[in-house]
Every structure is written in structure tokens, then in C-alpha cells.
């Protein structure tokens, strides 16, 4: 079973690239971030015609997440608990029946948090604190749970071509790193790092011509509960997507599982 994450950076702009990738790779479940689309405008029919069930949690112009699945949804949850005033669409979760039980897949678009010293960074840290509580509740279920998406977190120096340039960025601040480690300490496994020690970069900035200069970072992650980690077979970054026509600035990351 192949379960993927991809920050698509606007589903309208990347629809062609998305449909082509789905046709070529045929993953079982795909979690999208930054769809930048209300639910009604999402290209549901085109994707459903490829055999996928579609659930979205959209938002006009900004944010927005979606799950595409060849399996039917048993349950769908939208929004991160803990703040009734939070109107940003950043979390959607699906539960799916698989051989031997269920798998719970949670797609997140964690706040960027820049510039540091503003309410945006405060919101990022608060969101991560709420996420910690949410993950605790999911791990208590003792079932395969996959938390994946654009975390806007650079975990370590190896996850950046030039780590020095990210010092001070919200993705690399000590406060962010502390909360990342706290998540892992709950018992989650970083799927890519469980497979390889290579950089495995997932994002190259448009504004700084990151792809052309081979200057990227790893901020798109799959974190696994012990029950999901036991089923992990491989994790692959589809970096070649960044060099194609009209790409997202992120690329897909695919986990292979024995479900």
C-alpha cells in the first residue's frame, strides 16, 4: 500500500501535474496540502474518474487540505481541536478499512510561522502544542496511524543544503525543533529517516531559484505510530517532479506499507 503526501501549492495551477502523477504512480492514498481552493472548486470529478474517493477541507486562496483514496472513507475528521476560533483549514483525517483492521491517515499543513516575532510564529507554536495533544489521543487508540504533510519543520542540519541560511527561520527555530522532538518522543517514527540517512530534500524555493541552484530543504514528512512503523517497507521522495513543467515547489513523498 502506497501512502503519499504532496504540498501541491494550488490545485488549480497544478491540476495537470497532479493528474499525470496519479496516472503514472497510482498511489493508494494521497494527502494534499495548500490546495488553495474552496471545496466546491476542487477538481473532484476528474480525480474520482481515476478511481479515487475524495474528501477536502478547503479555504479560498490560502491553505486547504485534501485526501484522495482508492479505499472508501470509514470516517472523516476536519480541523485540529483545541481552538474554536481557528478558521484556517490545515488538518483532515481519514480512517480506512484494510486487511487485518484499519489505518488512520492524518494530513496536515502546519503553519509556516514567519516572520518570527509576530503572531504568525505564536500561532505556529500554539498549533504544534494542539497537535501534540491530538496525536496523544490518536496514539492511545493503538492502531496504525500516519501523520503526514507539510510540517514546515527542518528537523536537522542534514535536512538543508545550506543549514546556516535557515538560522532564525521559523522552520529551524529552537522552539519549533523542541516541539518536533516532543512529537517524536510520543513514539512516532520519521519514515524517511527510518529508511535512509541521505538528505532526501522535498522543497526548493521558487523565489531563490532553489531547484536551479540545488539548494533545498526537507520539510514534508511522514510520522508513524508504532503499529504503522512495523508495516513500513520503504519511503521515497519523488524529487524529479520539481524539475517538470509548472511544478509545485514541493515534491511528493511516498511511504510503502505492508497493509
Amino acid at each position: 500500500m502506497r501512502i503519499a503526501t504532496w504540498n501541491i501549492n494550488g490545485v488549480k495551477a497544478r491540476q495537470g501535474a497532479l493528474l499525470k502523477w496519479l496516472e503514472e504512480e497510482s498511489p493508494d492514498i494521497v494527502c494534499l496540502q495548500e490546495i488553495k481552493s474552496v471545496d466546491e472548486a476542487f477538481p473532484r470529478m476528474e480525480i474520482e474518474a481515476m478511481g479515487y474517493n475524495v474528501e477536502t477541507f478547503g479555504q479560498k486562496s490560502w491553505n486547504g487540505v485534501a485526501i484522495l483514496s482508492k479505499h472508501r472513507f470509514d470516517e472523516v475528521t476536519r480541523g485540529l481541536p483545541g481552538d474554536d476560533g481557528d478558521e484556517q483549514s490545515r488538518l483532515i483525517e481519514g480512517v480506512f478499512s484494510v486487511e487485518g483492521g484499519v489505518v488512520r491517515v492524518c494530513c496536515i499543513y502546519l503553519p509556516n510561522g514567519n516572520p518570527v516575532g509576530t503572531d504568525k510564529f505564536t500561532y505556529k507554536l500554539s498549533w504544534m502544542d494542539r497537535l501534540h495533544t491530538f496525536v496523544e489521543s490518536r496514539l492511545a487508540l493503538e492502531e496504525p496511524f500516519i501523520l503526514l504533510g507539510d510540517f514546515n519543520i527542518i528537523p536537522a542540519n542534514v535536512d538543508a543544503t545550506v543549514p546556516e541560511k535557515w538560522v532564525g527561520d521559523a522552520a529551524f527555530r529552537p522552539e519549533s525543533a523542541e516541539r518536533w522532538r516532543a512529537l517524536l518522543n510520543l513514539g512516532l517514527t520519521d519514515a524517511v529517516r527510518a529508511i535512509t540517512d541521505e538528505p532526501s530534500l522535498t522543497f526548493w524555493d521558487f523565489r531563490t531559484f532553489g531547484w536551479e541552484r540545488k539548494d533545498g530543504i526537507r520539510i514534508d514528512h511522514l510520522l508513524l505510530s508504532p503499529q504503522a512503523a512495523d508495516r513500513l517497507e520503504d519511503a521515497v521522495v519523488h524529487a524529479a517532479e520539481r524539475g517538470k513543467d509548472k511544478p509545485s515547489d514541493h515534491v511528493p513523498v511516498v511511504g510503502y506499507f505492508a497493509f
Side-chain angles (χ1 to χ4, degrees), residues 110-219:
L110 203 148
N112 176 282
N114 285 304
V116 173
T118 69
D119 289 343
K120 292 183 177 181
F121 189 54
T122 302
Y123 175 64
K124 179 190 186 85
L125 299 182
S126 173
W127 206 93
M128 293 189 76
D129 290 338
R130 289 159 52 203
L131 180 65
H132 189 280
T133 301
F134 176 81
V135 170
E136 283 185 310
S137 71
R138 292 310 191 237
L139 292 178
L141 299 174
E142 297 186 351
E143 62 190 13
F145 171 65
I146 302 172
L147 177 71
L148 73 172
D150 177 359
F151 282 68
N152 273 308
I153 295 288
I154 305 169
N157 285 355
V158 70
D159 300 302
T161 307
V162 187
E164 296 81 8
K165 70 180 287 186
W166 295 95
V167 173
D169 190 278
F172 210 41
R173 285 281 301 181
E175 301 92 329
S176 305
E178 177 185 2
R179 285 162 174 80
W180 167 264
R181 290 192 298 269
L183 270 181
L184 294 182
N185 289 339
L186 290 174
L188 295 176
T189 295
D190 181 342
V192 168
R193 281 291 159 259
I195 298 297
T196 180
D197 293 328
E198 294 299 315
S200 304
L201 308 178
T202 67
F203 171 88
W204 295 263
D205 199 337
F206 286 138
R207 295 167 297 178
T208 61
F209 300 96
W211 178 255
E212 292 78 4
R213 296 189 300 105
K214 297 180 171 55
D215 180 10
I217 54 178
R218 184 175 77 102
I219 56 176

Side-chain angles (χ1 to χ4, degrees), residues 9 17 24-25 29 31 45 50 53 65 72 109 127 141 145 162 165 181 200 202 205 211 240 246-248:
N9 192 6
E24 291 175 350
E25 300 296 332
I29 297 175
C31 293
M45 288 190 298
M50 302 180 73
N53 300 282
V65 285
R72 292 185 180 276
Y109 177 41
W127 206 93
L141 299 174
F145 171 65
V162 187
K165 70 180 287 186
R181 290 192 298 269
S200 304
T202 67
D205 199 337
W211 178 255
K246 297 182 180 178
S248 171

Side-chain angles (χ1 to χ4, degrees), residues 20 25 38 58 61-62 64 105 108 115 122 133 205 207 222 226 252 254:
K20 184 175 181 181
E25 300 296 332
V38 295
S61 301
W62 305 101
V105 177
I108 68 167
T122 302
T133 301
D205 199 337
R207 295 167 297 178
L222 288 82
V254 185

